Amino acid sequence: MKQVQSRDGARGGRRPQRPQRLSELTLAILCAFGGSASANPTGPSVVSGQASIVSSGRTLSITNTPGAIIN
C-alpha cells in the first residue's frame, strides 16, 4: 500500500502535531489570570436590611436577614 503525502507534509493521513507555541500561550494566560479568581470582594456595604460581613484570611462569612441588599 502506497502512502500519500498531503499538502501539509503529513504522511499516511496522520494529523500533524500541535505547535509548541499554543501550549506556551496557554500557560502564559493561566499564569496571568489564575490568581485573580480566588480574591474576596473588598468594601461590601449593606444597602437595605441587616447583614454581618466578617473576613478572616481567605474566608468571607456573611450572615443576613431575608431581603437584605449587599453591594
Side-chain angles (χ1 to χ4, degrees):
M1 182 171 172
K2 183 179 177 183
Q3 289 186 342
V4 178
Q5 188 170 2
S6 65
R7 283 188 274 179
D8 63 358
R11 290 182 170 248
R14 293 187 308 170
R15 295 174 55 186
Q17 290 183 341
R18 284 187 166 183
Q20 185 66 22
R21 257 185 236 162
L22 181 62
S23 297
E24 292 169 357
L25 177 63
T26 304
L27 179 62
I29 290 172
L30 286 173
C31 289
F33 297 107
S36 65
S38 63
N40 282 335
T42 57
S45 61
V46 180
V47 177
S48 176
Q50 294 180 357
S52 168
I53 303 167
V54 179
S55 179
S56 175
R58 293 173 48 187
T59 304
L60 180 67
S61 299
I62 301 175
T63 306
N64 64 305
T65 59
I69 299 173
I70 303 170
N71 281 341

